[in-house]
Amino acid sequence: MNNPHHLPHLKDSLPKDVVTYQTSFYTVALEGWRRGLELKYYNNKRGGRVPSISITYSLSDGNNEYHFVCARGSKSKREAILKAENKSSAYKYMKENGVPVPESKTFNFADSSIEDMCDYGERIGYPIVVKPTNMGGGRGVVTHIDSKQILKKALLNIKDELNKKSVIIEKYFEGGVDYRFYVIENRVIAVSKNYSSNVIGDGKSNLEELIDKRNIHISNNMAAKNRIIKIDKEMLNYLNEQNISLDHIPQKGERFFLRKHGTHLGKRLSVDCTNTVDPKFKKYAVDALNSIPGLPTGSIDMIINEEKNEGIVNEINTKGEIMMHVFPVEGEAVDVPKYLIDYYFPNTKKINDNFHFEYKPVKELFLDGYADEITIPMYPKGMQYKKTFVVEGERLGPLYLKKLKRKAANLRLMGHIKSESKKGLEILTIGPEEKINKFEEFINTSGTGKSKIFKVTNTDLGEFDGQSSIGLEIVDEDV
């Protein structure tokens, strides 16, 4: 999280294993939990391989409880979700509501031949786009199709490889950039434009050097770290078409694109533009969401030709993926989780920003089939203190660490344990003064049958005003 524009209350608050799409549902859950709401996770599919599908969560203030999938809460009605997630019906409702959508037609593989579909594609004219009617995340979507051969290949892939029953063929929107609008009822909360892989010139570095620099920035963004720019044959061919090599030096401040727009959809880089986008496109987004009653929140995908200032809506995403708004690669972050929890629990407010919870144990217990429901303990109330201990000894391995963690859990202490050397541990403890004192007694008097404690030193007790998980975490597993 090295972006200076990222939200300060999330700095050091996300566990290392919460990356990419997981940041969407973790940040919403964390916002609610930090307001004092009861947070529960549910395992809807034992052994489910995709956590975003198999793991859901709920937030409750004691009177109202809402369930969430990713950033979609249970105020979204099932019938509305089904209408929106079927791209064909979504186009129908949006068009009836005056929202600009691409010229398109839906085909059922059982009723129409591949040849009939190709004939339609050629009638509306290349380039065109094909997409399954009910898949998200850009899966199965092929854009900028410019020949019958490529069109047929894309259709057969959707039919035979993805086993889909229907497909949409639509006119490609020329010169467009992908935008995503996050909407709550009648208000656009955040807008992000999603560029294909690109670098920003400094007037000195060549493309290969700029890619290396860009990748460092991307890898430090937990929501984008799977979008590393890879130099491959396709990229080299794209550059070669422009008579450009990796030795090319872009001008200072120039955004240089490394791939064709509309390709590598899962590798796009987000740039916040909430405060600069034309208000007419915000209206399109609000009208698109409201074209389907029972859908109070969601993401609206739009393609905008920035030179002509024209755009079309090409998808309603009911789960409302928000990671690109909360952790943009460029631009100011928007606190979408805050707006979402404000909507569901308007009478709550943030109580504490000092603590977070680990997600890895929840995921492991669920995916291994050991639990169906887990309640996250509430963060501690009142003044918390900190004290650091350095333990020197022998055989301070897994058994000793387990004993320390169990005692800390029993005392409800927080903090971390990390290795100073093979014969030393640093233990930061956080909690009430009397509990830390009891833990100090435990350290000084307890070992295991094999471990030996030679010396324990400690810092003075002080007030805690930092960031910590609610458990005693082992920072270095190899101690």
PDB file of all heavy atoms in Angstrom, residues 342-371:
ATOM      1  N   ASP A 342     -22.932   2.950   5.508  1.00  0.00           N
ATOM      2  CA  ASP A 342     -23.841   4.063   5.812  1.00  0.00           C
ATOM      3  C   ASP A 342     -25.240   3.777   5.277  1.00  0.00           C
ATOM      4  O   ASP A 342     -26.249   4.112   5.909  1.00  0.00           O
ATOM      5  CB  ASP A 342     -23.328   5.367   5.174  1.00  0.00           C
ATOM      6  CG  ASP A 342     -22.191   6.001   5.952  1.00  0.00           C
ATOM      7  OD1 ASP A 342     -21.961   5.593   7.112  1.00  0.00           O
ATOM      8  OD2 ASP A 342     -21.534   6.901   5.399  1.00  0.00           O
ATOM      9  N   TYR A 343     -25.292   3.146   4.098  1.00  0.00           N
ATOM     10  CA  TYR A 343     -26.585   2.842   3.475  1.00  0.00           C
ATOM     11  C   TYR A 343     -27.324   1.757   4.254  1.00  0.00           C
ATOM     12  O   TYR A 343     -28.531   1.868   4.517  1.00  0.00           O
ATOM     13  CB  TYR A 343     -26.377   2.410   2.022  1.00  0.00           C
ATOM     14  CG  TYR A 343     -27.625   1.887   1.364  1.00  0.00           C
ATOM     15  CD1 TYR A 343     -28.686   2.735   1.048  1.00  0.00           C
ATOM     16  CD2 TYR A 343     -27.749   0.527   1.059  1.00  0.00           C
ATOM     17  CE1 TYR A 343     -29.838   2.254   0.451  1.00  0.00           C
ATOM     18  CE2 TYR A 343     -28.907   0.037   0.462  1.00  0.00           C
ATOM     19  CZ  TYR A 343     -29.940   0.902   0.164  1.00  0.00           C
ATOM     20  OH  TYR A 343     -31.077   0.424  -0.415  1.00  0.00           O
ATOM     21  N   TYR A 344     -26.611   0.706   4.651  1.00  0.00           N
ATOM     22  CA  TYR A 344     -27.263  -0.410   5.346  1.00  0.00           C
ATOM     23  C   TYR A 344     -27.485  -0.128   6.837  1.00  0.00           C
ATOM     24  O   TYR A 344     -28.480  -0.573   7.416  1.00  0.00           O
ATOM     25  CB  TYR A 344     -26.438  -1.690   5.171  1.00  0.00           C
ATOM     26  CG  TYR A 344     -26.786  -2.433   3.904  1.00  0.00           C
ATOM     27  CD1 TYR A 344     -26.108  -2.180   2.714  1.00  0.00           C
ATOM     28  CD2 TYR A 344     -27.814  -3.361   3.884  1.00  0.00           C
ATOM     29  CE1 TYR A 344     -26.441  -2.842   1.542  1.00  0.00           C
ATOM     30  CE2 TYR A 344     -28.155  -4.038   2.726  1.00  0.00           C
ATOM     31  CZ  TYR A 344     -27.472  -3.774   1.560  1.00  0.00           C
ATOM     32  OH  TYR A 344     -27.812  -4.421   0.402  1.00  0.00           O
ATOM     33  N   PHE A 345     -26.570   0.599   7.459  1.00  0.00           N
ATOM     34  CA  PHE A 345     -26.680   0.893   8.891  1.00  0.00           C
ATOM     35  C   PHE A 345     -26.457   2.397   9.110  1.00  0.00           C
ATOM     36  O   PHE A 345     -25.397   2.815   9.602  1.00  0.00           O
ATOM     37  CB  PHE A 345     -25.654   0.077   9.682  1.00  0.00           C
ATOM     38  CG  PHE A 345     -25.837  -1.414   9.581  1.00  0.00           C
ATOM     39  CD1 PHE A 345     -25.129  -2.149   8.636  1.00  0.00           C
ATOM     40  CD2 PHE A 345     -26.718  -2.077  10.416  1.00  0.00           C
ATOM     41  CE1 PHE A 345     -25.296  -3.521   8.529  1.00  0.00           C
ATOM     42  CE2 PHE A 345     -26.888  -3.455  10.329  1.00  0.00           C
ATOM     43  CZ  PHE A 345     -26.184  -4.179   9.378  1.00  0.00           C
ATOM     44  N   PRO A 346     -27.439   3.222   8.739  1.00  0.00           N
ATOM     45  CA  PRO A 346     -27.244   4.685   8.765  1.00  0.00           C
ATOM     46  C   PRO A 346     -27.022   5.277  10.148  1.00  0.00           C
ATOM     47  O   PRO A 346     -26.526   6.399  10.257  1.00  0.00           O
ATOM     48  CB  PRO A 346     -28.548   5.211   8.147  1.00  0.00           C
ATOM     49  CG  PRO A 346     -29.551   4.115   8.364  1.00  0.00           C
ATOM     50  CD  PRO A 346     -28.775   2.840   8.254  1.00  0.00           C
ATOM     51  N   ASN A 347     -27.358   4.555  11.200  1.00  0.00           N
ATOM     52  CA  ASN A 347     -27.221   5.104  12.548  1.00  0.00           C
ATOM     53  C   ASN A 347     -25.935   4.672  13.247  1.00  0.00           C
ATOM     54  O   ASN A 347     -25.791   4.847  14.458  1.00  0.00           O
ATOM     55  CB  ASN A 347     -28.428   4.696  13.403  1.00  0.00           C
ATOM     56  CG  ASN A 347     -29.731   5.269  12.855  1.00  0.00           C
ATOM     57  OD1 ASN A 347     -29.779   6.423  12.433  1.00  0.00           O
ATOM     58  ND2 ASN A 347     -30.786   4.462  12.856  1.00  0.00           N
ATOM     59  N   THR A 348     -25.004   4.097  12.490  1.00  0.00           N
ATOM     60  CA  THR A 348     -23.733   3.663  13.082  1.00  0.00           C
ATOM     61  C   THR A 348     -22.611   4.585  12.645  1.00  0.00           C
ATOM     62  O   THR A 348     -22.713   5.289  11.644  1.00  0.00           O
ATOM     63  CB  THR A 348     -23.392   2.223  12.658  1.00  0.00           C
ATOM     64  OG1 THR A 348     -23.222   2.178  11.226  1.00  0.00           O
ATOM     65  CG2 THR A 348     -24.482   1.258  13.069  1.00  0.00           C
ATOM     66  N   LYS A 349     -21.529   4.547  13.396  1.00  0.00           N
ATOM     67  CA  LYS A 349     -20.341   5.307  13.022  1.00  0.00           C
ATOM     68  C   LYS A 349     -19.099   4.551  13.480  1.00  0.00           C
ATOM     69  O   LYS A 349     -19.168   3.684  14.362  1.00  0.00           O
ATOM     70  CB  LYS A 349     -20.360   6.704  13.639  1.00  0.00           C
ATOM     71  CG  LYS A 349     -20.343   6.734  15.157  1.00  0.00           C
ATOM     72  CD  LYS A 349     -20.353   8.164  15.678  1.00  0.00           C
ATOM     73  CE  LYS A 349     -20.313   8.206  17.212  1.00  0.00           C
ATOM     74  NZ  LYS A 349     -20.293   9.593  17.713  1.00  0.00           N
ATOM     75  N   LYS A 350     -17.973   4.873  12.872  1.00  0.00           N
ATOM     76  CA  LYS A 350     -16.716   4.203  13.185  1.00  0.00           C
ATOM     77  C   LYS A 350     -16.345   4.423  14.631  1.00  0.00           C
ATOM     78  O   LYS A 350     -16.401   5.546  15.138  1.00  0.00           O
ATOM     79  CB  LYS A 350     -15.617   4.737  12.264  1.00  0.00           C
ATOM     80  CG  LYS A 350     -14.313   3.939  12.280  1.00  0.00           C
ATOM     81  CD  LYS A 350     -14.391   2.713  11.407  1.00  0.00           C
ATOM     82  CE  LYS A 350     -14.465   3.092   9.960  1.00  0.00           C
ATOM     83  NZ  LYS A 350     -13.243   3.690   9.428  1.00  0.00           N
ATOM     84  N   ILE A 351     -15.973   3.350  15.314  1.00  0.00           N
ATOM     85  CA  ILE A 351     -15.598   3.439  16.724  1.00  0.00           C
ATOM     86  C   ILE A 351     -14.088   3.304  16.878  1.00  0.00           C
ATOM     87  O   ILE A 351     -13.479   3.977  17.703  1.00  0.00           O
ATOM     88  CB  ILE A 351     -16.308   2.340  17.547  1.00  0.00           C
ATOM     89  CG1 ILE A 351     -17.834   2.505  17.439  1.00  0.00           C
ATOM     90  CG2 ILE A 351     -15.870   2.391  19.005  1.00  0.00           C
ATOM     91  CD1 ILE A 351     -18.618   1.362  18.047  1.00  0.00           C
ATOM     92  N   ASN A 352     -13.478   2.449  16.050  1.00  0.00           N
ATOM     93  CA  ASN A 352     -12.070   2.131  16.248  1.00  0.00           C
ATOM     94  C   ASN A 352     -11.398   1.815  14.916  1.00  0.00           C
ATOM     95  O   ASN A 352     -11.944   1.078  14.104  1.00  0.00           O
ATOM     96  CB  ASN A 352     -11.961   0.931  17.190  1.00  0.00           C
ATOM     97  CG  ASN A 352     -10.551   0.724  17.701  1.00  0.00           C
ATOM     98  OD1 ASN A 352      -9.627   0.506  16.939  1.00  0.00           O
ATOM     99  ND2 ASN A 352     -10.387   0.793  19.018  1.00  0.00           N
ATOM    100  N   ASP A 353     -10.213   2.388  14.689  1.00  0.00           N
ATOM    101  CA  ASP A 353      -9.429   2.090  13.490  1.00  0.00           C
ATOM    102  C   ASP A 353      -8.129   1.372  13.817  1.00  0.00           C
ATOM    103  O   ASP A 353      -7.321   1.136  12.928  1.00  0.00           O
ATOM    104  CB  ASP A 353      -9.087   3.387  12.736  1.00  0.00           C
ATOM    105  CG  ASP A 353     -10.203   3.834  11.808  1.00  0.00           C
ATOM    106  OD1 ASP A 353     -11.011   2.977  11.416  1.00  0.00           O
ATOM    107  OD2 ASP A 353     -10.267   5.036  11.488  1.00  0.00           O
ATOM    108  N   ASN A 354      -7.923   1.010  15.080  1.00  0.00           N
ATOM    109  CA  ASN A 354      -6.645   0.451  15.502  1.00  0.00           C
ATOM    110  C   ASN A 354      -6.526  -1.058  15.318  1.00  0.00           C
ATOM    111  O   ASN A 354      -5.420  -1.595  15.379  1.00  0.00           O
ATOM    112  CB  ASN A 354      -6.378   0.773  16.982  1.00  0.00           C
ATOM    113  CG  ASN A 354      -6.224   2.258  17.237  1.00  0.00           C
ATOM    114  OD1 ASN A 354      -7.115   2.885  17.786  1.00  0.00           O
ATOM    115  ND2 ASN A 354      -5.103   2.833  16.812  1.00  0.00           N
ATOM    116  N   PHE A 355      -7.663  -1.722  15.095  1.00  0.00           N
ATOM    117  CA  PHE A 355      -7.610  -3.180  15.062  1.00  0.00           C
ATOM    118  C   PHE A 355      -8.255  -3.738  13.797  1.00  0.00           C
ATOM    119  O   PHE A 355      -9.144  -3.131  13.211  1.00  0.00           O
ATOM    120  CB  PHE A 355      -8.293  -3.762  16.301  1.00  0.00           C
ATOM    121  CG  PHE A 355      -7.641  -3.331  17.588  1.00  0.00           C
ATOM    122  CD1 PHE A 355      -8.198  -2.336  18.373  1.00  0.00           C
ATOM    123  CD2 PHE A 355      -6.449  -3.909  17.991  1.00  0.00           C
ATOM    124  CE1 PHE A 355      -7.587  -1.914  19.538  1.00  0.00           C
ATOM    125  CE2 PHE A 355      -5.823  -3.493  19.165  1.00  0.00           C
ATOM    126  CZ  PHE A 355      -6.393  -2.498  19.941  1.00  0.00           C
ATOM    127  N   HIS A 356      -7.769  -4.886  13.389  1.00  0.00           N
ATOM    128  CA  HIS A 356      -8.355  -5.631  12.271  1.00  0.00           C
ATOM    129  C   HIS A 356      -8.349  -7.108  12.650  1.00  0.00           C
ATOM    130  O   HIS A 356      -7.807  -7.494  13.690  1.00  0.00           O
ATOM    131  CB  HIS A 356      -7.574  -5.394  10.977  1.00  0.00           C
ATOM    132  CG  HIS A 356      -6.146  -5.862  11.024  1.00  0.00           C
ATOM    133  ND1 HIS A 356      -5.112  -5.064  11.477  1.00  0.00           N
ATOM    134  CD2 HIS A 356      -5.577  -7.053  10.697  1.00  0.00           C
ATOM    135  CE1 HIS A 356      -3.976  -5.732  11.405  1.00  0.00           C
ATOM    136  NE2 HIS A 356      -4.229  -6.944  10.940  1.00  0.00           N
ATOM    137  N   PHE A 357      -8.951  -7.927  11.816  1.00  0.00           N
ATOM    138  CA  PHE A 357      -8.997  -9.373  12.083  1.00  0.00           C
ATOM    139  C   PHE A 357      -8.361 -10.119  10.918  1.00  0.00           C
ATOM    140  O   PHE A 357      -8.336  -9.643   9.783  1.00  0.00           O
ATOM    141  CB  PHE A 357     -10.440  -9.848  12.296  1.00  0.00           C
ATOM    142  CG  PHE A 357     -11.349  -9.582  11.126  1.00  0.00           C
ATOM    143  CD1 PHE A 357     -11.488 -10.502  10.091  1.00  0.00           C
ATOM    144  CD2 PHE A 357     -12.068  -8.391  11.053  1.00  0.00           C
ATOM    145  CE1 PHE A 357     -12.312 -10.245   9.016  1.00  0.00           C
ATOM    146  CE2 PHE A 357     -12.901  -8.126   9.975  1.00  0.00           C
ATOM    147  CZ  PHE A 357     -13.019  -9.058   8.953  1.00  0.00           C
ATOM    148  N   GLU A 358      -7.835 -11.291  11.206  1.00  0.00           N
ATOM    149  CA  GLU A 358      -7.216 -12.120  10.167  1.00  0.00           C
ATOM    150  C   GLU A 358      -8.298 -12.882   9.408  1.00  0.00           C
ATOM    151  O   GLU A 358      -9.272 -13.358  10.002  1.00  0.00           O
ATOM    152  CB  GLU A 358      -6.232 -13.111  10.788  1.00  0.00           C
ATOM    153  CG  GLU A 358      -5.031 -12.461  11.464  1.00  0.00           C
ATOM    154  CD  GLU A 358      -4.156 -11.695  10.504  1.00  0.00           C
ATOM    155  OE1 GLU A 358      -3.931 -12.174   9.376  1.00  0.00           O
ATOM    156  OE2 GLU A 358      -3.693 -10.598  10.879  1.00  0.00           O
ATOM    157  N   TYR A 359      -8.122 -12.987   8.091  1.00  0.00           N
ATOM    158  CA  TYR A 359      -9.088 -13.708   7.268  1.00  0.00           C
ATOM    159  C   TYR A 359      -8.626 -15.141   6.947  1.00  0.00           C
ATOM    160  O   TYR A 359      -9.449 -16.032   6.754  1.00  0.00           O
ATOM    161  CB  TYR A 359      -9.326 -12.940   5.966  1.00  0.00           C
ATOM    162  CG  TYR A 359     -10.295 -13.624   5.033  1.00  0.00           C
ATOM    163  CD1 TYR A 359     -11.626 -13.807   5.400  1.00  0.00           C
ATOM    164  CD2 TYR A 359      -9.879 -14.102   3.797  1.00  0.00           C
ATOM    165  CE1 TYR A 359     -12.506 -14.437   4.559  1.00  0.00           C
ATOM    166  CE2 TYR A 359     -10.763 -14.743   2.947  1.00  0.00           C
ATOM    167  CZ  TYR A 359     -12.074 -14.905   3.327  1.00  0.00           C
ATOM    168  OH  TYR A 359     -12.949 -15.543   2.497  1.00  0.00           O
ATOM    169  N   LYS A 360      -7.338 -15.365   6.935  1.00  0.00           N
ATOM    170  CA  LYS A 360      -6.802 -16.673   6.564  1.00  0.00           C
ATOM    171  C   LYS A 360      -7.362 -17.820   7.403  1.00  0.00           C
ATOM    172  O   LYS A 360      -7.761 -18.855   6.850  1.00  0.00           O
ATOM    173  CB  LYS A 360      -5.275 -16.656   6.640  1.00  0.00           C
ATOM    174  CG  LYS A 360      -4.614 -17.946   6.155  1.00  0.00           C
ATOM    175  CD  LYS A 360      -3.101 -17.830   6.226  1.00  0.00           C
ATOM    176  CE  LYS A 360      -2.437 -19.128   5.756  1.00  0.00           C
ATOM    177  NZ  LYS A 360      -0.949 -19.028   5.840  1.00  0.00           N
ATOM    178  N   PRO A 361      -7.425 -17.699   8.746  1.00  0.00           N
ATOM    179  CA  PRO A 361      -7.986 -18.811   9.534  1.00  0.00           C
ATOM    180  C   PRO A 361      -9.438 -19.118   9.167  1.00  0.00           C
ATOM    181  O   PRO A 361      -9.846 -20.279   9.167  1.00  0.00           O
ATOM    182  CB  PRO A 361      -7.873 -18.306  10.977  1.00  0.00           C
ATOM    183  CG  PRO A 361      -6.812 -17.262  10.942  1.00  0.00           C
ATOM    184  CD  PRO A 361      -6.942 -16.607   9.611  1.00  0.00           C
ATOM    185  N   VAL A 362     -10.218 -18.075   8.877  1.00  0.00           N
ATOM    186  CA  VAL A 362     -11.615 -18.280   8.477  1.00  0.00           C
ATOM    187  C   VAL A 362     -11.670 -19.088   7.192  1.00  0.00           C
ATOM    188  O   VAL A 362     -12.388 -20.097   7.081  1.00  0.00           O
ATOM    189  CB  VAL A 362     -12.318 -16.918   8.277  1.00  0.00           C
ATOM    190  CG1 VAL A 362     -13.728 -17.127   7.726  1.00  0.00           C
ATOM    191  CG2 VAL A 362     -12.368 -16.148   9.585  1.00  0.00           C
ATOM    192  N   LYS A 363     -10.906 -18.652   6.214  1.00  0.00           N
ATOM    193  CA  LYS A 363     -10.906 -19.318   4.912  1.00  0.00           C
ATOM    194  C   LYS A 363     -10.450 -20.768   5.023  1.00  0.00           C
ATOM    195  O   LYS A 363     -11.055 -21.673   4.436  1.00  0.00           O
ATOM    196  CB  LYS A 363      -9.992 -18.539   3.956  1.00  0.00           C
ATOM    197  CG  LYS A 363      -9.939 -19.081   2.548  1.00  0.00           C
ATOM    198  CD  LYS A 363      -9.261 -18.093   1.599  1.00  0.00           C
ATOM    199  CE  LYS A 363      -7.855 -17.765   2.021  1.00  0.00           C
ATOM    200  NZ  LYS A 363      -7.183 -16.871   1.047  1.00  0.00           N
ATOM    201  N   GLU A 364      -9.398 -21.005   5.804  1.00  0.00           N
ATOM    202  CA  GLU A 364      -8.862 -22.364   5.919  1.00  0.00           C
ATOM    203  C   GLU A 364      -9.840 -23.295   6.617  1.00  0.00           C
ATOM    204  O   GLU A 364     -10.033 -24.446   6.189  1.00  0.00           O
ATOM    205  CB  GLU A 364      -7.522 -22.329   6.655  1.00  0.00           C
ATOM    206  CG  GLU A 364      -6.403 -21.707   5.832  1.00  0.00           C
ATOM    207  CD  GLU A 364      -5.076 -21.682   6.574  1.00  0.00           C
ATOM    208  OE1 GLU A 364      -5.092 -21.842   7.816  1.00  0.00           O
ATOM    209  OE2 GLU A 364      -4.035 -21.493   5.914  1.00  0.00           O
ATOM    210  N   LEU A 365     -10.465 -22.826   7.699  1.00  0.00           N
ATOM    211  CA  LEU A 365     -11.432 -23.661   8.415  1.00  0.00           C
ATOM    212  C   LEU A 365     -12.616 -24.016   7.517  1.00  0.00           C
ATOM    213  O   LEU A 365     -13.132 -25.135   7.546  1.00  0.00           O
ATOM    214  CB  LEU A 365     -11.916 -22.940   9.668  1.00  0.00           C
ATOM    215  CG  LEU A 365     -10.941 -22.895  10.843  1.00  0.00           C
ATOM    216  CD1 LEU A 365     -11.448 -21.940  11.912  1.00  0.00           C
ATOM    217  CD2 LEU A 365     -10.724 -24.287  11.424  1.00  0.00           C
ATOM    218  N   PHE A 366     -13.058 -23.063   6.709  1.00  0.00           N
ATOM    219  CA  PHE A 366     -14.182 -23.311   5.809  1.00  0.00           C
ATOM    220  C   PHE A 366     -13.799 -24.267   4.677  1.00  0.00           C
ATOM    221  O   PHE A 366     -14.491 -25.253   4.409  1.00  0.00           O
ATOM    222  CB  PHE A 366     -14.675 -21.995   5.210  1.00  0.00           C
ATOM    223  CG  PHE A 366     -15.583 -21.216   6.131  1.00  0.00           C
ATOM    224  CD1 PHE A 366     -15.832 -19.881   5.883  1.00  0.00           C
ATOM    225  CD2 PHE A 366     -16.185 -21.799   7.224  1.00  0.00           C
ATOM    226  CE1 PHE A 366     -16.679 -19.141   6.712  1.00  0.00           C
ATOM    227  CE2 PHE A 366     -17.029 -21.086   8.061  1.00  0.00           C
ATOM    228  CZ  PHE A 366     -17.275 -19.757   7.803  1.00  0.00           C
ATOM    229  N   LEU A 367     -12.715 -23.950   4.005  1.00  0.00           N
ATOM    230  CA  LEU A 367     -12.361 -24.738   2.831  1.00  0.00           C
ATOM    231  C   LEU A 367     -11.914 -26.149   3.197  1.00  0.00           C
ATOM    232  O   LEU A 367     -11.995 -27.052   2.380  1.00  0.00           O
ATOM    233  CB  LEU A 367     -11.275 -24.025   2.019  1.00  0.00           C
ATOM    234  CG  LEU A 367     -11.687 -22.647   1.472  1.00  0.00           C
ATOM    235  CD1 LEU A 367     -10.604 -22.093   0.559  1.00  0.00           C
ATOM    236  CD2 LEU A 367     -13.006 -22.733   0.718  1.00  0.00           C
ATOM    237  N   ASP A 368     -11.456 -26.342   4.440  1.00  0.00           N
ATOM    238  CA  ASP A 368     -11.098 -27.683   4.904  1.00  0.00           C
ATOM    239  C   ASP A 368     -12.289 -28.415   5.512  1.00  0.00           C
ATOM    240  O   ASP A 368     -12.172 -29.567   5.914  1.00  0.00           O
ATOM    241  CB  ASP A 368      -9.964 -27.613   5.935  1.00  0.00           C
ATOM    242  CG  ASP A 368      -8.634 -27.212   5.307  1.00  0.00           C
ATOM    243  OD1 ASP A 368      -8.513 -27.346   4.073  1.00  0.00           O
ATOM    244  OD2 ASP A 368      -7.740 -26.761   6.034  1.00  0.00           O
ATOM    245  N   GLY A 369     -13.435 -27.724   5.602  1.00  0.00           N
ATOM    246  CA  GLY A 369     -14.650 -28.374   6.063  1.00  0.00           C
ATOM    247  C   GLY A 369     -14.810 -28.475   7.565  1.00  0.00           C
ATOM    248  O   GLY A 369     -15.596 -29.295   8.054  1.00  0.00           O
ATOM    249  N   TYR A 370     -14.095 -27.639   8.336  1.00  0.00           N
ATOM    250  CA  TYR A 370     -14.163 -27.739   9.790  1.00  0.00           C
ATOM    251  C   TYR A 370     -15.214 -26.829  10.413  1.00  0.00           C
ATOM    252  O   TYR A 370     -15.459 -26.891  11.617  1.00  0.00           O
ATOM    253  CB  TYR A 370     -12.797 -27.414  10.401  1.00  0.00           C
ATOM    254  CG  TYR A 370     -11.753 -28.474  10.137  1.00  0.00           C
ATOM    255  CD1 TYR A 370     -10.606 -28.170   9.405  1.00  0.00           C
ATOM    256  CD2 TYR A 370     -11.915 -29.781  10.600  1.00  0.00           C
ATOM    257  CE1 TYR A 370      -9.647 -29.137   9.151  1.00  0.00           C
ATOM    258  CE2 TYR A 370     -10.970 -30.750  10.337  1.00  0.00           C
ATOM    259  CZ  TYR A 370      -9.828 -30.430   9.622  1.00  0.00           C
ATOM    260  OH  TYR A 370      -8.889 -31.389   9.364  1.00  0.00           O
ATOM    261  N   ALA A 371     -15.809 -25.954   9.632  1.00  0.00           N
ATOM    262  CA  ALA A 371     -16.807 -25.030  10.184  1.00  0.00           C
ATOM    263  C   ALA A 371     -17.782 -24.620   9.099  1.00  0.00           C
ATOM    264  O   ALA A 371     -17.454 -24.621   7.914  1.00  0.00           O
ATOM    265  CB  ALA A 371     -16.122 -23.802  10.785  1.00  0.00           C
TER     266      ALA A 371
END
